[in-house]
Amino acid sequence: METLKLGKHKLRVPAICASVIGSNVDVMTAGVARAIEKRADIVEIRLDGMRKHVGWEKLLKVDVPLILTNRAEREGGHFKGGERTRVDHLLKGIAGGAACVDIELSTSKPLLSEVVKAAKIHRTSLLVTHHDFNETPSIDSLVSIAKRM
């Protein structure tokens, strides 16, 4: 049996990941519950769809591994706040037990370093991502991006 390590969790593969995005905590809570009911192995919580983030931390209290994403607008996301606030949500998620955090390679080096350091301390997995909605980069460009990651 093959396994996937996500933070402190070990999952059988293949594993199903459900992505949940919504405008507020209640909508997100219902989406997470539905994903679990439908037997998702992993749930991605997309904080960037929320209009108000008050109380979002309660979304971390579920029985499946979570991937926490707060996608920046420059990378196709919907987060409207400042970069410091966006990253602070991810740091709070790491401290709160998220199994994995998705952080964009385009995040400033000091903020990206904070996330990497916190993830190491809390044994949280990281997805370092890059999004290009204009074109598929050349193989050489993709290799260069992967090396920076």
Side-chain angles (χ1 to χ4, degrees), residues 119-132:
K120 284 180 181 177
I121 290 169
H122 292 277
R123 295 179 47 213
T124 302
S125 294
L126 283 179
L127 292 173
V128 180
T129 57
H130 170 80
H131 304 87
D132 186 333

Side-chain angles (χ1 to χ4, degrees), residues 20-39:
V20 177
I21 191 165
S23 60
N24 61 53
V25 172
D26 292 338
V27 171
M28 295 285 285
T29 299
V32 170
R34 184 162 186 249
I36 293 169
E37 176 187 310
K38 297 288 186 178
R39 300 186 350 201

Side-chain angles (χ1 to χ4, degrees), residues 105 112 128 130 139-149:
L105 181 63
L112 183 57
V128 180
H130 170 80
I139 294 296
D140 289 341
S141 293
L142 289 173
V143 169
S144 175
I145 291 165
K147 285 180 180 178
R148 288 196 331 255
M149 290 176 165

Side-chain angles (χ1 to χ4, degrees), residues 35 40 59 62 67 75 87 105 108 119 134 140:
L59 297 168
V62 296
I67 299 173
E75 298 252 356
V87 170
L105 181 63
S108 72
N134 296 317
D140 289 341

